Amino acid sequence: MVVRARDVMTERVVTIWADAPLARAQERMAESRFSALPVVDRRFSLVGVISLVDVLRHRDDPHAVVGDAMTEQVVSVLPTTNVSIVAHRMRVYGELRLVPVVDKGILVGVITRSDLLRHRHSGGRLRRTARRIGGVLPVAPLPEAMAPRGAGRVGGRPTSSLRVSDVMTDGGLVAIPPELALDETAEVLLSYRFTAVPVVDDRDHLLGIVSEADLMHGSLDGGRRLRARTVSEVMTRDVETVQPDDPLTDAEDLLSRRGFRVVPVVDADDVLVGVLSRSDLL
């Protein structure tokens, strides 16, 4: 049976207008825990997409609106588009976090990597068992969505004087072992709305990181990765990391300029002590 975009898309979409203040886009992303939002006009026609990295790159302008930072050339699909085509476009355009589904110019839904993973690994049904998976580090309740902070300052301090430890997430960390099955790993990412999760050994030493893209490639690529069954077979091993005492400006370069979404924070012994995400920078 051919699966179409309409079969897997999310219909209840969080959107924003092009003339909305950029701070409002940041606020909506924090509230919904999304990393990108479709931009629409008053008739709900798609005019662009605004991502968290777009916000980061323009946050120093207090007068910026969504239209100043959004991407106007958007890859979109029809409701009847084959899902395999959507997956292919997400692989080719690696920065895509969502693909809008448009019918006669009107936004009717979006497809995210999570939607594809949910369909692929659970036959369209997600078993939300992340908290029961053996080997996951103790999980605290997810933190409340962060409210927008003043551009260029955190807690009243200039960002130029901050260290990674000042803003990193170090409580309620989630990490997985390399032998975890891919379908269970997908459930961790889906349940917590993560784009990536660190992989550690039994002493919490960082071994690598596994992302939504890694899981998609593990299912779609040929050869060894097509036969992959565990995290160790698809994870990224050569991982860029930072240490708690590193200047925050160095970490910002990895996240906002080089396109990373999550950077693990390790101590001198390569033990995972935190993670730094784009949301942490905001």
Side-chain angles (χ1 to χ4, degrees), residues 7 35 41 79-80 98 104 117 130 138 167 207 216 225-226 254 270:
D7 299 322
S35 59
D41 61 19
T80 54
L98 61 84
K104 297 178 181 179
L117 287 174
V167 301
L207 301 177
M216 290 176 65
R225 292 176 72 90
L226 181 62
L254 292 176
D270 268 348

Side-chain angles (χ1 to χ4, degrees), residues 183-210:
D183 58 347
E184 293 181 308
T185 303
E187 288 171 358
V188 173
L189 293 173
L190 293 168
S191 296
Y192 292 95
R193 292 185 180 176
F194 292 161
T195 59
V197 64
V199 182
V200 298
D201 63 16
D202 56 4
R203 295 185 179 181
D204 296 346
H205 290 102
L206 183 70
L207 301 177
I209 193 166
V210 63

Side-chain angles (χ1 to χ4, degrees), residues 37-90:
L37 299 175
V39 185
V40 297
D41 61 19
R42 272 34 176 199
R43 294 176 296 179
F44 224 64
S45 296
L46 181 70
V47 297
V49 168
I50 182 80
S51 70
L52 197 52
V53 72
D54 294 328
V55 174
L56 288 172
R57 288 169 176 164
H58 292 79
R59 67 178 180 175
D60 290 332
D61 181 359
H63 304 294
V65 297
V66 170
D68 297 328
M70 72 180 187
T71 299
E72 297 183 55
Q73 302 299 321
V74 179
V75 176
S76 63
V77 297
L78 298 171
T80 54
T81 301
N82 192 310
V83 164
S84 64
I85 295 176
V86 180
H88 173 74
R89 290 182 179 178
M90 282 192 163

